[in-house]
């Protein structure tokens, strides 16, 4: 599910012309090397929770800024909705701590 959300974010950003390649997305939005997504594919691995959190945070920040523009409000709402879905997954998969 993490990979699906990460790729959904890439597709959204690419469709809006914000990024043009997976390499650019990996570096600017996921804070990893340009080959991060390629490596995930090769290893058939899931992105870390940290990567999902970074992506969620950046989507939220961008969405909050974009939603202030009346002509682009719908785009900002898409960003915020995807960010919320990322945050929900993070919360669902978070390890519960026992506080004594």
């Amino acid at each position: 599910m993490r990979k699906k959300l990460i790729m959904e974010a890439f597709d959204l950003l690419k469709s809006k012309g914000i990024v043009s390649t997976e390499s650019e997305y990996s570096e600017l939005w996921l804070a990893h090397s340009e080959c991060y997504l390629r490596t995930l594919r090769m290893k058939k691995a899931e992105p870390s929770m940290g990567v999902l959190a970074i992506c969620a945070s950046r989507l939220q920040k961008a969405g909050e800024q974009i939603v202030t523009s009346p002509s682009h409000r719908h785009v900002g709402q898409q960003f915020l909705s995807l960010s919320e879905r990322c945050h929900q997954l993070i919360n669902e998969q978070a390890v519960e701590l026992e506080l004594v």
Side-chain angles (χ1 to χ4, degrees):
M1 185 63 160
R2 285 179 275 174
K3 189 183 284 186
K4 181 179 184 262
L5 286 172
I6 292 293
M7 293 312 296
E8 201 172 320
F10 170 67
D11 291 340
L12 175 62
L13 293 167
K14 187 173 181 182
S15 74
K16 302 304 177 196
I18 296 170
V19 297
S20 56
T21 65
E22 286 185 355
S23 298
E24 183 180 15
Y25 173 63
S26 293
E27 289 180 313
L28 300 177
W29 284 82
L30 304 180
H32 274 68
S33 70
E34 54 91 20
C35 63
Y36 182 71
L37 288 181
R38 194 169 48 246
T39 301
L40 287 180
R41 253 194 317 280
M42 279 181 21
K43 294 184 175 184
K44 296 182 175 142
E46 286 286 318
S48 69
M49 293 299 282
V51 166
L52 188 61
I54 290 168
C55 185
S57 177
R58 290 184 174 169
L59 286 168
Q60 181 178 359
K61 184 171 177 69
E64 288 169 350
Q65 292 174 346
I66 295 168
V67 82
T68 62
S69 167
S71 60
H72 295 98
R73 181 165 284 133
H74 65 285
V75 175
Q77 289 170 340
Q78 287 179 304
F79 277 58
L80 293 172
S81 174
L82 187 52
S83 172
E84 180 58 32
R85 289 175 45 216
C86 292
H87 280 110
Q88 285 175 345
L89 184 60
I90 291 165
N91 290 337
E92 288 169 9
Q93 295 186 357
V95 176
E96 291 186 29
L97 299 176
E98 284 188 39
L99 300 176
V100 181

